[in-house]
Amino acid sequence: MVRPGLIVGPYDPTDRFAYWPRRFRRGGRVLLPGDPADPAQFIDVRDLAQWILGCAAGRHGGVDHVTGRPLPFGAFFAACRALVNPAAEPVWVGTEALLRAGAAPWMGVPMWIGAPECAAVNLVDTSRALAAGLALRPLAGTLADTLAWDTARGGPAPGEEGLTAAAERRLLAATA
């Protein structure tokens, strides 16, 4: 039984992950949610699929949490910025300020979870899956491949982006 975390990568229509490299590419002031030390945890769909196929081929059975290792949001955003647009200006806005400004606590900003009761969702123990051969590609590869896919598709449909530019400006203004 596979219990995946947040699944990301090329062909993910949710725009939770693709939003970030696309947003950094646009440049300017980039709203970063929460605190740089807040955890983020996700898995590239290709790593998940490879691991599941290996299990189905008889390598492993049981119940496993299958996602990436937790990493600080600050490290995730730094990787996006370095890969896409080092000139982009990161603007950290704390969780309490975002909630006061009306941001939805469950991914009102892509990949951000402001609901305290859900804090553990980005701290899942994946040691069993890792011991059973789960291999995780470097973050830069997932970011680059996702951005390439997102660019080739022309980005999300209008109104489907993770956070509209207008909503980002409103949150930045409300929390300044």
Side-chain angles (χ1 to χ4, degrees), residues 124-153:
V124 176
D125 178 8
T126 60
S127 58
R128 183 172 150 78
L130 290 165
L134 175 62
L136 302 169
R137 73 191 63 229
L139 174 58
T142 299
L143 285 167
D145 293 349
T146 302
L147 181 60
W149 163 76
D150 186 58
T151 301
R153 74 174 176 146

Side-chain angles (χ1 to χ4, degrees), residues 38 95-96 99 103-108 112-122:
D38 289 345
T95 293
E96 294 304 319
L99 293 172
W106 183 262
M107 296 204 191
W112 169 74
I113 300 172
E117 64 274 12
C118 297
V121 78
N122 285 320

